[in-house]
């Protein structure tokens, strides 16, 4: 008799009888449905479906009555025998190995099927058949349990189907080995990972707070203080090292689950395993590791604030010596919850490390930021291994990811909410691209020479401050091929690097710029690397400075890694600023973008203030003109020639100011301030007048930016 077929997300349960006739299989089905014993039993019951809301496990149950001749259709379920029939018991014992062989033959593989032995018609005898059945249960590990029932007295009818569901939803086979009376290695491995995730302070024990949190996330209810003590007392009585410092150790945690399974409460262990993402084969499910995350085109992925807080707690948990860096042993301990080591030796050359080469706190967050930006699916997988959705009490790891808006919208609105900016570093081989990447991590030439060739990284990421805001700059060393792929041209800024000591170096940068970036909206910055060496004339039609001026780019930026201290980060601030504001240009001679002059200069060059500036200048000039005319009339009689010169000078200043207000942004965009301009009295006169008008506004803005920083 094939009794039931249960679907529970991905589970299928089928229950059937033995090959013995007249054991009461149809009577059992009809007694379950009608809750009374049928006086007339048909040869075969019709197929029925029991709704999920009336079953103990809350799963829909489909019941099918099979006759003994339909054994080829059987796939899993219940073996039925009559308690009052010794021949029936013997036939069941013989049919079990035959049935298992049929499954192996049908599926072509050794198919493990949970079985339940059911003794029907227990109302006809006054003894139990358990003594006869127990040896059979010990012989076949596929048999989950045995129960005696009576269709006539309705004894254990509901329990029969509950055990049938339980046998498939919470099978013992993957968890426990009856012969050795201990849990299987796969189960121990899964529970060990769960213990490490739940041990939030990494002290090797689960204290009361951690046990309560574990109980709440798995069973939606906390444990009372007395219940916690009772659990620990049970472990103390059976295991000497199961409790330490009033906390549950890993051995004690595993012992408890072994005890649950041995006492038939393996649904408790399965509830824990499935809450932490495991399937029936004790493998993490794809749905758990890779939750659905939609990423539209031209959008990027970043970690949000909650994800950074979670990663900060993970770092603090494993930084046992509190030196703000993870040693190799600490990093290995962190990744024990992973099935493999996710980071290779190249990571140490991708992010910041301390003097000993250990990944710092900033480097740890930077590597996660890099993984999220380049391969968000891998980031989701890694967060799943760390138990983000459990510890952060989120639906999935997808809640840790922020999908930025389309870059076209940022260009239209002339502002961005992104925190990670990608810059492709382009240049011919040997021009110093690797030096630029390592300089972002604060490494001079001496430290760079210690990097092994096989550990070289083509990425570098670190934080850069722009106008008091912390942003991530991601540098990518692009190949030096003659033509770039479409993927290699997708970025927020381009850094064209040439070697000042190599006469053929700049020609490659100019050619790549004309082929891929001349007509694009991606800002480009030319870097003159190895500026500590003797500069030679580049074999190109025009000089790098003239090339930049022609294409309205900032002048070439001198750069070198051959320094005693940390290399200058001026070019990285400029690159990040250009990536944040691709519609604007850097008009400031100073390269820091942090000083008062840089902040005020970039603020004053904004479109809004340019409009206000024009209107304010016009109003001020209209108010000053009567006084200037009156002053000229009073002094005309005494010093006519001198006064005329002063009036001409004042008019010249007015015209200059007016021209600056209306044409200033365009003129500043077309040329750069030279040393001759700085020494010009006209320049200083205009600067003094502008500084007077905007002194209060500039100072207030400066204080606001400092406060934000």
């Amino acid at each position: 008799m094939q009794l039931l077929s249960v679907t529970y997300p991905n589970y299928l349960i089928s229950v059937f009888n033995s090959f013995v006739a007249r054991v009461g299989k149809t009577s059992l089905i009809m007694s379950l449905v009608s809750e009374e014993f049928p006086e007339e039993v048909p040869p075969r019951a019709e197929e029925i479906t029991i709704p999920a809301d009336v079953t103990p496990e809350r799963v829909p149950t489909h019941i099918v009555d099979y006759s003994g001749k339909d054994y080829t259709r059987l796939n899993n379920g219940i073996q039925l025998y009559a308690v009052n029939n010794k021949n029936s018991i013997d036939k069941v014992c013989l049919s079990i190995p035959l049935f298992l062989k049929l499954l192996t033959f049908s599926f072509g593989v050794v198919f493990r099927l949970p079985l339940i032995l059911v003794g029907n018609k227990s109302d006809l005898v006054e003894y139990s058949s358990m003594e006869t059945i127990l040896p059979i249960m010990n012989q076949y590990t596929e048999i989950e349990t045995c129960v005696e029932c009576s269709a006539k007295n309705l004894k254990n009818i509901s329990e029969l189907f509950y055990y049938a569901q339980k046998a498939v939803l919470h099978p013992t086979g993957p968890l426990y080995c009856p012969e050795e009376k201990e849990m299987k290695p796969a189960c121990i491995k899964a529970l060990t990972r769960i213990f490490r995730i739940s041990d939030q302070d990494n002290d090797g024990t689960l204290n009361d707070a951690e046990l309560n949190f574990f109980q709440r996330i798995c069973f939606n209810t906390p444990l009372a203080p007395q219940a916690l003590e009772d659990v620990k007392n049970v472990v103390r009585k059976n295991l000497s090292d199961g409790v330490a410092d009033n906390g549950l150790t890993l051995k004690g945690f595993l012992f408890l689950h072994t005890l649950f399974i041995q006492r038939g409460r393996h649904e408790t262990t399965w509830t824990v395993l499935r809450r932490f993402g495991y399937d029936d084969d004790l493998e993490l499910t794809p749905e758990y590791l890779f939750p659905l995350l939609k990423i539209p085109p031209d959008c990027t992925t970043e970690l949000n604030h909650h994800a950074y807080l979670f990663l900060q707690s993970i770092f603090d948990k494993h930084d046992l010596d509190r030196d703000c860096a993870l040693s190799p042993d600490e990093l290995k301990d962190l990744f024990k919850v992973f099935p493999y080591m996710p980071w290779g030796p190249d990571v140490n050359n991708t992010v910041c490390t301390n003097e000993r080469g250990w990944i710092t706190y900033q480097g740890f967050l930077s590597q996660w930021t890099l993984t999220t930006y380049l391969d968000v699916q891998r980031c989701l997988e890694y967060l799943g291994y760390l138990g983000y959705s459990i510890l952060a009490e989120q639906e999935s790891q997808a809640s840790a990811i922020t999908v930025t808006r389309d870059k076209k919208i940022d260009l239209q609105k002339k502002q961005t909410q992104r925190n990670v900016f990608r810059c492709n570093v382009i240049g011919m081989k040997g021009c110093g691209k690797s030096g630029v990447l390592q300089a972002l991590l604060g490494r001079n030439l001496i430290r760079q020479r210690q990097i092994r060739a096989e550990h070289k990284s083509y990425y570098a990421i670190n934080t850069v401050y722009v106008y008091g805001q912390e942003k991530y700059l991601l540098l990518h060393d692009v190949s030096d091929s003659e033509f770039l792929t479409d993927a290699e041209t997708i970025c927020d800024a381009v850094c064209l690097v040439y070697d000042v000591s190599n006469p053929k170096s700049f020609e490659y940068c100019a050619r790549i710029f004309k082929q891929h970036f001349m007509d694009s909206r991606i800002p480009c910055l030319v870097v003159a690397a190895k500026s500590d060496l003797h500069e030679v004339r580049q074999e190109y039609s025009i000089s790098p400075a003239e090339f930049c001026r022609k294409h309205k780019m900032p002048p070439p930026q001198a750069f070198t890694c051959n320094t005693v201290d940390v290399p200058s980060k001026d070019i990285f601030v400029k690159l990040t600023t250009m990536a944040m504001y691709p519609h604007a240009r850097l008009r400031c001679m100073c390269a820091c973008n942090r000083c008062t002059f840089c902040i005020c200069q970039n603020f004053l060059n904004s479109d809004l203030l340019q409009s206000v500036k024009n209107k304010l200048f016009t109003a001020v000039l209209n108010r000053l003109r009567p006084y200037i005319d009156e002053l000229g009339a009073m002094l005309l009689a005494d010093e006519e020639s001198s006064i005329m010169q002063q009036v001409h000078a004042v008019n010249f200043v007015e015209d200059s100011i007016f021209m600056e207000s209306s044409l200033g942004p365009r003129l500043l965009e077309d040329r750069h301030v030279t040393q001759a301009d700085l020494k010009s009295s006209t320049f200083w006169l205009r600067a003094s007048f502008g500084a007077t008008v905007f002194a209060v506004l500039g100072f207030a803005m400066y204080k606001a930016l400092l406060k934000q920083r």
Side-chain angles (χ1 to χ4, degrees):
M1 172 188 69
Q2 177 114 353
L3 287 184
L4 72 129
S5 178
V6 180
T7 304
Y8 176 79
N10 297 322
Y11 307 108
L12 178 65
I13 305 176
S14 299
V15 184
F16 60 92
N17 74 314
S18 68
F19 304 123
V20 183
R22 305 187 64 81
V23 293
K25 60 183 184 302
T26 306
S27 299
L28 280 175
I29 298 175
M30 299 187 69
S31 296
L32 173 71
V33 175
S34 61
E35 296 185 354
E36 62 180 4
F37 182 70
E39 296 297 334
E40 296 182 2
V41 181
R44 194 171 189 173
E46 296 182 357
E47 297 184 11
I48 61 173
T49 300
I50 301 177
D53 55 354
V54 298
T55 60
E57 294 292 339
R58 298 296 177 182
V59 292
T61 305
H62 187 62
I63 302 178
V64 181
D65 184 3
Y66 281 95
S67 66
K69 296 181 180 180
D70 292 330
Y71 63 89
T72 55
R73 299 175 59 188
L74 303 179
N75 51 10
N76 54 357
I78 297 175
Q79 289 282 346
L80 202 66
Y81 66 92
V83 177
N84 66 331
N85 190 336
K86 182 66 169 58
N87 185 42
S88 171
I89 299 176
D90 294 339
K91 286 186 178 182
V92 166
C93 297
L94 295 175
S95 67
I96 291 177
L98 175 61
F99 171 72
L100 296 176
K101 289 181 180 179
L102 280 173
L103 288 177
T104 303
F105 175 78
S106 301
F107 290 94
V109 294
V110 178
F111 191 84
R112 180 173 179 81
L113 179 73
L115 301 178
I116 296 178
L117 293 182
V118 178
N120 193 21
K121 302 183 181 182
S122 62
D123 58 295
L124 299 180
V125 295
E126 296 181 356
Y127 57 86
S128 175
S129 62
M130 288 302 172
E131 294 183 359
T132 307
I133 294 300
L134 284 178
I136 303 176
M137 293 182 60
N138 295 331
Q139 183 178 357
Y140 299 100
T141 59
E142 291 82 2
I143 300 177
E144 293 285 335
T145 187
C146 178
V147 60
E148 291 184 349
C149 65
S150 171
K152 185 174 183 179
N153 295 340
L154 305 181
K155 176 185 176 183
N156 291 338
I157 301 299
S158 299
E159 288 78 1
L160 161 65
F161 290 91
Y162 167 73
Y163 288 130
Q165 292 178 334
K166 183 178 176 181
V168 175
L169 300 179
H170 314 298
T172 309
L175 306 180
Y176 189 73
C177 181
E179 293 84 359
E180 300 179 3
K181 295 184 178 181
E182 61 182 19
M183 287 190 296
K184 292 186 176 180
C187 182
I188 294 176
K189 181 180 178 181
L191 291 175
T192 300
R193 171 182 169 268
I194 293 173
F195 178 88
R196 294 185 184 279
I197 292 175
S198 303
D199 183 14
Q200 299 183 41
D201 56 8
N202 201 28
D203 62 349
T205 62
L206 298 181
N207 56 38
D208 289 355
E210 292 167 343
L211 283 172
N212 259 317
F213 180 80
F214 174 82
Q215 178 76 10
R216 181 167 57 83
I217 62 174
C218 291
F219 305 101
N220 297 320
T221 178
L223 282 174
Q226 186 58 45
L228 278 175
E229 287 301 319
D230 293 341
V231 169
K232 287 185 281 190
N233 289 333
V234 170
V235 177
R236 286 192 187 99
K237 291 179 181 179
N238 293 274
L239 208 61
S240 59
D241 54 352
V243 178
D245 299 328
N246 202 33
L248 194 65
T249 65
L250 175 60
K251 288 185 177 180
F253 184 75
L254 295 177
F255 168 78
L256 275 180
H257 284 280
T258 303
L259 197 62
F260 290 147
I261 297 171
Q262 290 174 345
R263 293 184 177 181
R265 293 177 54 191
H266 35 277
E267 67 272 12
T268 302
T269 301
W270 274 115
T271 301
V272 172
L273 290 169
R274 288 177 178 138
R275 179 65 181 89
F276 280 78
Y278 289 93
D279 59 11
D280 283 354
D281 297 323
L282 298 183
E283 298 287 344
L284 292 173
T285 63
E287 293 78 14
Y288 171 79
L289 291 178
F290 307 102
L292 181 63
L293 181 65
K294 296 182 180 180
I295 305 174
D298 296 328
C299 297
T300 60
T301 50
E302 301 175 0
L303 293 171
N304 58 31
H305 177 66
H306 299 289
Y308 281 117
L309 289 178
F310 172 77
L311 293 173
Q312 180 182 351
S313 67
I314 294 295
F315 183 92
D316 294 338
K317 172 181 176 180
H318 294 89
D319 183 20
L320 301 179
D321 52 8
R322 297 294 181 262
D323 61 347
C324 292
L326 294 179
S327 66
D329 291 338
E330 291 172 340
L331 200 62
K332 184 178 180 180
D333 183 63
L334 188 153
F335 289 129
K336 281 184 177 179
V337 295
F338 284 62
Y340 56 87
M341 186 66 179
W343 292 358
D346 60 314
V347 173
N348 294 58
N349 300 318
T350 305
V351 298
C352 292
T353 58
N354 61 10
E355 297 79 6
R356 306 173 71 176
W358 298 353
I359 297 177
T360 63
Y361 169 72
Q362 185 58 53
F364 181 77
L365 297 183
S366 297
Q367 178 61 25
W368 280 96
T369 303
L370 173 69
T371 305
T372 307
Y373 188 93
L374 297 180
D375 191 350
V376 67
Q377 291 299 320
R378 180 168 296 184
C379 178
L380 293 174
E381 178 187 2
Y382 290 173
L383 289 174
Y385 291 141
L386 291 175
Y388 173 82
S389 60
I390 289 96
L391 296 179
E393 299 185 72
Q394 299 291 332
E395 184 177 353
S396 69
Q397 299 87 267
S399 61
I401 307 299
T402 296
V403 179
T404 64
R405 67 185 181 188
D406 196 325
K407 189 177 179 180
K408 299 184 183 67
I409 301 178
D410 288 345
L411 292 174
Q412 292 173 0
K413 294 182 176 293
K414 296 185 178 181
Q415 60 180 358
T416 181
Q417 299 174 344
R418 297 163 58 194
N419 295 310
V420 185
F421 299 94
R422 176 171 179 166
C423 173
N424 285 352
V425 182
I426 300 174
M428 67 182 302
K429 187 175 182 180
C431 67
K433 293 182 295 180
S434 299
V436 173
L437 266 67
Q438 293 303 312
L440 176 64
L441 308 179
R443 298 169 183 169
N444 56 19
L445 191 60
I446 298 176
R447 291 190 62 184
Q448 293 179 26
R449 288 173 177 170
Q450 300 174 0
I451 300 176
R452 300 171 60 178
E454 59 270 24
H455 296 165
K456 178 182 177 181
S457 175
Y458 291 93
Y459 291 94
I461 184 171
N462 199 4
T463 54
V464 177
Y465 282 92
V466 177
Y467 303 147
Q469 303 179 45
E470 185 184 59
K471 303 295 182 180
Y472 281 95
L473 177 62
L474 168 60
L475 298 182
H476 178 208
D477 185 353
V478 179
S479 62
D480 54 351
S481 59
E482 291 299 322
F483 299 96
L484 302 182
T485 63
D486 292 339
E488 292 174 333
T489 60
I490 299 176
C491 56
D492 302 306
V494 175
C495 180
L496 299 169
V497 182
Y498 76 95
D499 183 359
V500 298
S501 62
N502 184 353
K504 300 181 179 180
S505 182
F506 181 73
E507 188 273 337
Y508 176 83
C509 295
R511 186 172 69 253
I512 292 296
F513 174 81
K514 290 183 177 181
Q515 289 176 353
H516 300 282
F517 304 107
M518 186 169 65
D519 298 326
S520 70
R521 303 182 68 178
I522 301 176
C524 299
L525 183 68
V526 177
V527 174
K530 304 182 183 180
S531 60
D532 57 305
L533 302 179
H534 176 68
E535 184 174 0
V536 299
R537 180 181 177 84
Q538 296 294 319
E539 295 179 0
Y540 193 68
S541 57
I542 57 178
S543 66
E546 293 173 347
F547 181 86
C548 293
R549 191 178 305 112
K550 177 181 177 181
H551 295 283
K552 297 182 180 181
M553 291 190 297
Q557 306 294 308
F559 177 79
T560 179
C561 296
N562 193 9
T563 58
V564 178
D565 298 324
V566 176
S568 173
K569 292 190 176 182
D570 291 343
I571 64 169
F572 306 122
V573 176
K574 281 194 172 185
L575 286 170
T576 309
T577 307
M578 295 168 64
M580 290 177 62
Y581 308 105
H583 56 279
R585 292 183 180 273
L586 296 178
R587 306 182 180 96
C588 177
M589 288 184 61
C590 178
C592 71
N593 271 325
R594 296 189 298 271
C595 64
T596 306
F597 182 72
C598 289
I599 294 174
C600 293
Q601 183 74 10
N602 283 277
F603 177 73
L604 294 176
N605 284 330
S606 64
D607 295 338
L608 176 62
L609 283 195
Q610 289 297 332
S611 176
V612 176
K613 178 181 175 182
N614 293 338
K615 296 180 180 179
L616 190 58
F617 268 122
T618 303
V620 171
L621 289 176
N622 291 335
R623 295 292 299 272
L624 290 178
R625 185 173 293 278
Y627 297 101
I628 295 174
D629 295 339
E630 183 180 354
L631 178 63
M634 291 174 59
L635 299 179
L636 182 61
D638 297 332
E639 300 180 22
E640 182 176 357
S641 60
S642 176
I643 294 175
M644 290 302 296
Q645 294 178 0
Q646 293 182 19
V647 172
H648 284 303
V650 172
N651 289 334
F652 178 77
V653 172
E654 294 175 0
D655 295 337
S656 300
I657 294 173
F658 185 79
M659 290 293 293
E660 179 72 17
S661 64
S662 59
L663 302 177
R666 183 173 59 84
L667 292 174
L668 285 172
E669 194 169 288
D670 293 339
R671 67 179 181 87
H672 296 278
V673 179
T674 63
Q675 293 295 329
D677 291 330
L678 291 175
K679 296 178 180 179
S680 170
S681 60
T682 303
F683 173 83
W684 283 111
L685 184 59
R686 287 185 288 137
S688 300
F689 189 84
T692 303
V693 175
F694 291 100
V696 177
L697 184 60
F699 182 77
M701 186 61 187
Y702 173 60
K703 295 293 288 184
L705 289 174
L706 284 183
K707 183 178 180 181
Q708 182 180 3
R709 181 175 179 181

